[in-house]
Amino acid sequence: MARGKIIVVGNEKGGTGKSTLAMHLIVWFLRRKKLVASIDLDGRQGTLTHYIQNRSAYAAARGIGLGLPEHLTVTVRENPTEEERGEDEQAFVRRLEQLQNENDFVIIDTAGSDSYLFRLAHTAADILITPLNDSLIDLDVLAKVEPETLTIKSPGHYAQTVWQARQKRAAQKKPQTRWFVLRNRVMHVSTRNEKLIWKLLEALGKRVNFTPLPGLGERIIFRELFLKGLTLLDVGTGKSDVALSMPHVAARQELRSILQAIGEDALPES
């Protein structure tokens, strides 16, 4: 069996929809009969972990089968000694290699802040997906924008972190990470801000080598589905008590567009 692909959902910014996207990736693969493992690197907040727990509880309460990944929760130490940090890094690499050898895909949901394991995960990523709220405030982690001309002045601190991770992968003789940036929580009406963000992302993508993609719109349904551990891919399948509605259909089409754009080799279509 070939080693599984590692997909990291990462950003040095909280509240961008990383865990929601990670959960949908997990279910997408499970529905295609793939072996899937997941890692929640934000053990303190544990959003992905709680999402999976909610899914397990929902399935058990209704006596139905819902796909679940092999899941690992990791809490990063706040002020480790050099020895503790080295031990943590070695343990993480060993566990990640084990999961990679036993599964087709390993999905890693990172915290919204930098850490030594955050950087290790980025170096391990075959594919990196960065959800980004559709605002200049959130864009700041990727790029510094010149206020007068509204052009890219320099890459932001997160873009620099990704560059460093790619350099380490190159030193390890691994293929370069494929990087996608998703504009999340997009308003459904085109605005000057929306056009500006897209223009800036296209310019930055050419500069630091990522592909910008339209993301998921701002929809209440994602919060409702989280409480039941469900995804858009579960709605309307007979295993969900959530009625299929037009907003669900529209959101599911947005999701499928994202997955198909990332590439059939990593995300085979049904």
Side-chain angles (χ1 to χ4, degrees):
M1 176 178 171
R3 285 164 62 87
K5 289 191 176 181
I6 296 175
I7 302 178
V8 172
V9 184
N11 189 346
E12 257 183 90
K13 182 81 171 59
T16 60
K18 293 190 296 295
S19 300
T20 297
L21 179 60
M23 191 66 185
H24 279 76
L25 287 168
I26 290 166
V27 175
W28 174 269
F29 291 129
L30 289 172
R31 289 174 62 82
R32 280 149 186 78
K33 309 301 182 185
K34 302 298 182 183
L35 296 174
V36 183
S38 55
I39 301 175
D40 188 345
L41 268 185
D42 190 3
R44 182 176 176 83
Q45 183 166 317
T47 304
L48 180 61
T49 299
H50 296 153
Y51 207 147
I52 292 170
Q53 290 171 344
N54 292 346
R55 185 174 183 83
S56 178
Y58 181 91
R62 287 157 181 77
I64 58 175
L66 285 175
L68 291 166
E70 178 181 357
H71 185 66
L72 174 66
T73 305
V74 178
T75 300
V76 181
R77 304 187 212 223
E78 292 187 4
N79 296 296
T81 64
E82 283 299 316
E83 183 179 357
E84 290 171 336
R85 173 173 173 163
E87 291 173 353
D88 290 350
E89 289 177 338
Q90 290 176 20
F92 180 74
V93 168
R94 285 195 301 269
R95 191 72 175 100
L96 182 57
E97 287 181 346
Q98 180 185 359
L99 292 174
Q100 192 178 11
N101 287 331
E102 296 174 351
N103 293 274
D104 299 305
F105 295 94
V106 181
I107 313 297
I108 303 178
D109 182 24
T110 69
S113 59
D114 189 18
S115 74
Y116 53 101
L117 294 187
F118 177 95
R119 290 176 178 256
L120 261 185
H122 280 71
T123 301
D126 296 304
I127 296 172
L128 172 62
I129 308 175
T130 300
L132 187 79
N133 288 333
D134 206 42
S135 77
L136 288 170
I137 295 174
D138 280 36
L139 183 65
D140 190 63
V141 301
L142 282 182
K144 302 304 177 186
V145 177
E146 171 56 52
E148 297 299 326
T149 61
L150 294 178
T151 55
I152 300 295
K153 185 165 56 175
S154 63
H157 57 276
Y158 179 65
Q160 293 173 21
T161 295
V162 175
W163 180 82
Q164 291 166 2
R166 281 174 157 174
Q167 291 295 103
K168 290 179 180 177
R169 274 184 74 85
Q172 297 169 6
K173 309 296 184 184
K174 293 181 178 179
Q176 186 179 74
T177 300
R178 294 170 59 202
W179 187 14
F180 300 88
V181 175
L182 263 59
R183 295 169 53 236
N184 248 0
R185 298 196 168 99
V186 180
M187 300 300 292
H188 300 294
V189 178
S190 180
T191 64
R192 180 175 178 273
N193 177 77
E194 185 262 348
K195 292 176 182 177
L196 174 60
I197 296 291
W198 186 252
K199 178 182 176 182
L200 291 171
L201 283 178
E202 285 187 319
L204 183 63
K206 293 174 182 176
R207 184 166 173 176
V208 300
N209 194 14
F210 66 70
T211 302
L213 295 175
L216 298 169
E218 178 63 66
R219 301 183 191 276
I220 299 295
I221 53 175
F222 289 113
R223 299 166 200 168
E224 297 172 347
L225 292 173
F226 167 80
L227 294 175
K228 298 181 177 182
L230 299 174
T231 69
L232 291 168
L233 302 170
D234 300 303
V235 177
T237 63
K239 293 188 176 182
S240 161
D241 60 5
V242 179
L244 187 65
S245 65
M246 286 307 296
H248 287 107
V249 173
R252 190 154 59 186
Q253 184 53 49
E254 290 173 351
L255 175 69
R256 289 184 182 278
S257 295
I258 292 168
L259 299 175
Q260 291 163 4
I262 289 172
E264 293 185 14
D265 288 342
L267 305 163
E269 296 182 54
S270 56

